[in-house]
Amino acid sequence: MKLKFLLGLFLCGWSLAQQYSVQNIPDALKKNASIVIRNAASDYTIKKVDEIQIVENNAYTILNKSGAEYSAIYIPYDKQTSVHDIKVTLLDENGKTVKTYSRKDFADYSHTPSFGLYVDNRVLVLNPTLTTYPYTVQYSYRIVSRNTVFISDFSPLRTFNVAAQSVKRTIRNESGISLRTKVTNTDLGNVAVSISGNVTEYAFQNIPAVERQPFCPSMDYLAPKVEFALDRFNLEGIHGELKNWNDFGKWYYQNLLSPSTIISPEIKAEVQALNLQGSVEDKVRTIFQYMQNKTRYVFVAMGIGGWQPMTTEEVRTKGYGDCKGLTNYMRALLMAAGIPSHYAVINSDVSVEKFDPDFPKMGGNHAILVVPTEKGNIWLENTSQNIAFNHLSYTTTSRNVLAVKDNGIELMNTPVYPAERNTEKIRAYVKINPDQTIHATADFQYGGGQYDFRMPMVTLSGKERAEAMKEDFNYLNIQNLTLDHFTNDRNKAEINYKLNIHARDYSRKLGEDLFFPVIPFYKTAPLVMNDERKLPFETVFGYQDSYEITYESPQGYAFTDLPEPQKVTSEFGTYSINYKMNGDKLHVTRNLTIQKGIYPKEKYAAYVEFRKKTANLDNSKILITKI
């Protein structure tokens, strides 16, 4: 018996070594890969409305240094979630065990993001690594949670340069509650679904690594996935229904918003002291800017799963809150003024992610406020002390929100800011000097999404702003730069400032003549053409740049041989540049418009050609002839 036992241990270890030997990875999966997911098996058992058990068994092979960050193991948990049976094995390239770990080897941290203050989420962290590559990290653990409202999406790939041999999820639904699913297949793969009784398995096999290509969309857009939602759920001991958006909205309003919304005498007094006048829009603006001036953003992830806002009284007395708390406080201030508004849950990201009207599920990562008026909706971003009234950033436009009402949820669309609204306008006067230096004065104006890009400057000192501009224009040999008249117009969503620049070596000598590039405030990024384009490409942000530049030549020189006006039109945008003499001054107008969109890979060559044409025209040279 002892011999059989020892033989069994030997065979088990030999089998594991054979299984995770790097030699067993197909060559096709090694191509473009930093790591290979050898096995990712998650076993979900839904016991009842307030109990779900998840068993994870994973093995990742780290092929090179670029994949080292994926060695780290993160296991989040909270008061409603317990973690059991953690086992970790570090294997060499032959699949032989180098070291084993258990729970005692993990560090236990508060799961606190930036600006976090009150957070009751925690995370266990371990980073097992070897100094030589490749190696494999195998780990398993079991989670038991009372919260069943969140069942994570299932996808074979989460990022680029990762290949997958076997990715599976098995769901055993023992609860008797209907589990809805939504399968999205893409060009990267199709999910295999097999059903046996109350057990469903979702699987992907042999998914090659995807190499990131210029301007490609996020992996969330590219990868296939399966989404899940229970018709009945539990969140922190509160049961609810998620059969449709209206049922979920009523639950959300009654259990998350109403208990946190206290219209106290003090809040009423705050609003009354504002002496509100004018239209509904005027009143909302006054209240919003009052709220901005008295609060600041601090992340709070306590309460019901981190989804319930702080009470309005807490925000009022403490002067801070996160997006949930500040949005609900603003809603309460409007309620005290007799102005209805709706707390709105949204997916805030550079790439647009929308809620599916036909597949209700818990989601979103941000909260904003929508105020219906006779003249249209007013949208309020409540986490910034500096953002303009009725302006949403480019990470929250062009998508929908869950507007939570007492009688359910309404899916409402946020504004679409067309390229023509996301503007950079430059009006410049540039004096060309005979010593090849220039002196330029320029007025800059930013609106729409480009207003958002300049928002970080609002909190900087004057000196810091000037240094930031020197960095922006580091391709100019700046000798001196001053920045003046900086304004953040919170009514128009515009940032304005004036630059004075003295730079050397801007022009070049050509005998006794001078020549210089026509656009001083824009540096084009080179585009690489790839004949083997495999992915669609995305212009994530539509914008319009309008430049008007007046050039003064040095005394004793004259502008000659001006380039011809040019116009380039494509489905991706438009470009024009014109030259006109006004007395002895040269006036140049240049306009570039880029449209937002996702395009098939077959159109990438046309896009590169369009951007090359605009770059070449931006690099046109102007000749000044010695008289």
Side-chain angles (χ1 to χ4, degrees):
M1 292 295 293
K2 184 176 181 181
L3 181 61
K4 289 182 179 180
F5 176 74
L6 293 173
L7 181 60
L9 286 178
F10 170 76
L11 291 174
C12 180
W14 180 83
S15 175
L16 185 65
Q18 289 296 307
Q19 180 182 4
Y20 291 124
S21 169
V22 175
Q23 292 181 353
N24 292 336
I25 301 175
D27 290 339
L29 296 187
K30 294 178 183 177
K31 184 178 180 181
N32 299 324
S34 298
I35 71 168
V36 177
I37 301 172
R38 312 297 298 279
N39 177 62
S42 52
D43 191 332
Y44 283 60
T45 302
I46 305 168
K47 296 284 191 179
K48 50 187 178 179
V49 70
D50 57 359
E51 184 180 347
I52 186 170
Q53 178 175 282
I54 305 169
V55 178
E56 294 279 358
N57 282 285
N58 302 300
Y60 295 176
T61 294
I62 314 300
L63 296 178
N64 50 52
K65 187 176 181 180
S66 297
E69 62 181 294
Y70 299 103
S71 298
I73 303 168
Y74 300 91
I75 308 175
Y77 71 99
D78 54 36
K79 293 179 180 179
Q80 301 295 315
T81 304
S82 57
V83 183
H84 311 270
D85 307 329
I86 298 176
K87 298 177 182 178
V88 180
T89 304
L90 187 60
L91 310 168
D92 66 14
E93 65 178 310
N94 298 312
K96 294 181 180 180
T97 299
V98 176
K99 190 173 182 179
T100 60
Y101 304 85
S102 63
R103 180 166 185 154
K104 64 180 177 61
D105 299 303
F106 279 72
D108 192 335
Y109 298 112
S110 175
H111 201 184
T112 307
S114 299
F115 303 104
L117 183 61
Y118 298 120
V119 181
D120 54 12
N121 297 328
R122 301 195 66 80
V123 61
L124 298 170
V125 181
L126 177 69
N127 191 16
T129 60
L130 287 177
T131 56
T132 57
Y133 301 93
Y135 62 86
T136 298
V137 178
Q138 183 192 28
Y139 63 96
S140 62
Y141 58 89
R142 178 170 60 91
I143 284 177
V144 179
S145 178
R146 293 187 60 209
N147 290 332
T148 56
V149 70
F150 305 105
I151 300 178
S152 63
D153 296 349
F154 171 62
S155 180
L157 304 174
R158 293 292 183 182
T159 187
F160 295 91
N161 301 109
V162 175
Q165 274 188 286
S166 176
V167 183
K168 295 181 180 179
R169 177 176 296 183
T170 301
I171 294 188
R172 295 174 175 83
N173 188 357
E174 302 173 356
S175 67
I177 303 169
S178 176
L179 176 67
R180 291 175 289 106
T181 61
K182 177 185 174 183
V183 178
T184 303
N185 293 314
T186 71
D187 292 342
L188 297 188
N190 296 328
V191 59
V193 183
S194 59
I195 303 174
S196 178
N198 68 345
V199 179
T200 304
E201 183 181 87
Y202 304 89
F204 296 95
Q205 299 288 333
N206 296 321
I207 305 292
V210 179
E211 187 174 21
R212 188 189 296 273
Q213 293 185 301
F215 306 105
C216 66
S218 69
M219 187 58 73
D220 288 337
Y221 174 85
L222 296 170
K225 66 179 179 180
V226 185
E227 300 170 71
F228 307 91
L230 283 169
D231 277 359
R232 291 191 295 116
F233 65 86
N234 175 70
L235 178 62
E236 304 285 329
I238 302 176
H239 294 188
E241 290 195 351
L242 194 44
K243 296 178 182 179
N244 54 63
W245 285 119
N246 279 340
D247 288 344
F248 182 55
K250 292 174 185 176
W251 176 89
Y252 203 118
Y253 189 91
Q254 293 167 6
N255 293 282
L256 300 185
L257 295 187
S258 289
S260 299
T261 309
I262 303 167
I263 313 299
S264 64
E266 290 80 7
I267 285 180
K268 292 180 180 178
E270 280 185 288
V271 174
Q272 188 174 6
L274 295 176
N275 191 26
L276 300 174
Q277 303 289 332
S279 65
V280 171
E281 181 178 348
D282 293 334
K283 293 175 182 178
V284 175
R285 178 187 286 106
T286 299
I287 297 173
F288 177 69
Q289 293 181 349
Y290 164 78
M291 185 276 299
Q292 284 183 299
N293 292 335
K294 71 162 293 185
T295 61
R296 60 189 175 92
Y297 175 83
V298 173
F299 182 77
V300 179
M302 297 184 71
I304 300 177
W307 286 80
Q308 185 173 43
M310 296 168 59
T311 68
T312 50
E313 269 300 284
E314 286 181 291
V315 177
R316 184 190 69 82
T317 57
K318 294 178 179 179
Y320 60 73
D322 61 7
C323 64
K324 305 183 301 293
L326 295 174
T327 295
N328 201 42
Y329 175 58
M330 181 64 197
R331 187 174 76 95
L333 292 172
L334 292 174
M335 289 174 68
I339 301 173
S341 63
H342 308 307
Y343 182 99
V345 180
I346 193 169
N347 289 297
S348 174
D349 199 354
V350 174
S351 295
V352 174
E353 182 180 351
K354 295 183 178 181
F355 296 101
D356 186 341
D358 301 318
F359 192 80
K361 70 170 186 174
M362 188 69 143
N365 60 8
H366 189 48
I368 58 178
L369 198 69
V370 55
V371 187
T373 74
E374 293 182 355
K375 296 182 178 180
N377 293 327
I378 295 172
W379 296 90
L380 301 177
E381 168 57 67
N382 304 283
T383 57
S384 170
Q385 295 169 295
N386 300 304
I387 199 168
F389 171 73
N390 197 18
H391 172 81
L392 293 182
S393 76
Y394 68 98
T395 62
T396 52
T397 52
S398 304
R399 64 203 73 200
N400 60 12
V401 302
L402 305 179
V404 183
K405 304 180 180 181
D406 58 356
N407 61 349
I409 276 176
E410 179 182 353
L411 272 71
M412 303 176 67
N413 293 322
T414 61
V416 175
Y417 291 176
E420 293 74 15
R421 182 169 173 175
N422 303 320
T423 57
E424 177 189 52
K425 296 180 180 179
I426 300 177
R427 306 292 178 265
Y429 189 94
V430 180
K431 183 178 181 181
I432 308 293
N433 299 314
D435 61 357
Q436 300 174 251
T437 65
I438 60 168
H439 181 264
T441 60
D443 294 312
F444 290 74
Q445 181 187 95
Y446 297 92
Q450 300 214 55
Y451 168 82
D452 303 325
F453 297 155
R454 294 293 159 176
M455 280 296 292
M457 294 180 66
V458 173
T459 58
L460 301 179
S461 67
K463 182 178 180 181
E464 289 170 331
R465 288 172 187 155
E467 290 300 317
M469 288 298 95
K470 288 180 182 178
E471 183 63 29
D472 275 3
F473 300 130
N474 59 11
Y475 49 88
L476 296 174
N477 292 315
I478 294 176
Q479 291 179 302
N480 185 51
L481 181 148
T482 59
L483 186 151
D484 301 305
H485 307 298
F486 183 93
T487 60
N488 171 26
D489 191 326
R490 292 195 290 164
N491 290 318
K492 295 181 179 180
E494 287 182 0
I495 283 178
N496 295 271
Y497 53 85
K498 180 185 288 289
L499 287 183
N500 286 279
I501 296 175
H502 190 75
R504 66 179 185 275
D505 300 327
Y506 184 73
S507 60
R508 294 288 184 269
K509 287 280 190 180
L510 185 63
E512 292 188 327
D513 301 335
L514 297 172
F515 68 97
F516 62 91
V518 69
I519 304 296
F521 302 115
Y522 188 88
K523 186 173 179 62
T524 56
L527 288 178
V528 178
M529 183 57 209
N530 189 339
D531 294 333
E532 297 183 0
R533 182 79 192 188
K534 296 179 180 179
L535 299 175
F537 66 99
E538 180 179 15
T539 49
V540 297
F541 182 73
Y543 63 91
Q544 184 174 84
D545 293 345
S546 300
Y547 300 169
E548 294 183 10
I549 307 171
T550 299
Y551 287 98
E552 177 185 342
S553 64
Q555 188 172 2
Y557 287 79
F559 293 103
T560 56
D561 297 327
L562 296 180
E564 291 294 322
Q566 299 288 337
K567 186 173 183 179
V568 184
T569 301
S570 78
E571 66 177 301
F572 315 111
T574 59
Y575 175 96
S576 66
I577 189 165
N578 289 280
Y579 308 86
K580 183 180 179 181
M581 291 301 301
N582 185 4
D584 59 351
K585 308 292 193 301
L586 171 63
H587 188 65
V588 178
T589 57
R590 178 263 198 190
N591 292 282
L592 172 66
T593 301
I594 298 294
Q595 300 295 340
K596 175 183 174 68
I598 297 179
Y599 304 92
K601 62 183 180 181
E602 291 78 12
K603 294 186 176 183
Y604 185 67
Y607 177 71
V608 171
E609 183 63 24
F610 168 65
R611 295 313 305 266
K612 282 185 175 179
K613 286 181 180 179
T614 65
N616 289 336
L617 291 171
D618 278 343
N619 287 323
S620 297
K621 303 299 189 292
I622 303 295
L623 182 67
I624 309 178
T625 303
K626 179 74 171 178
I627 300 174

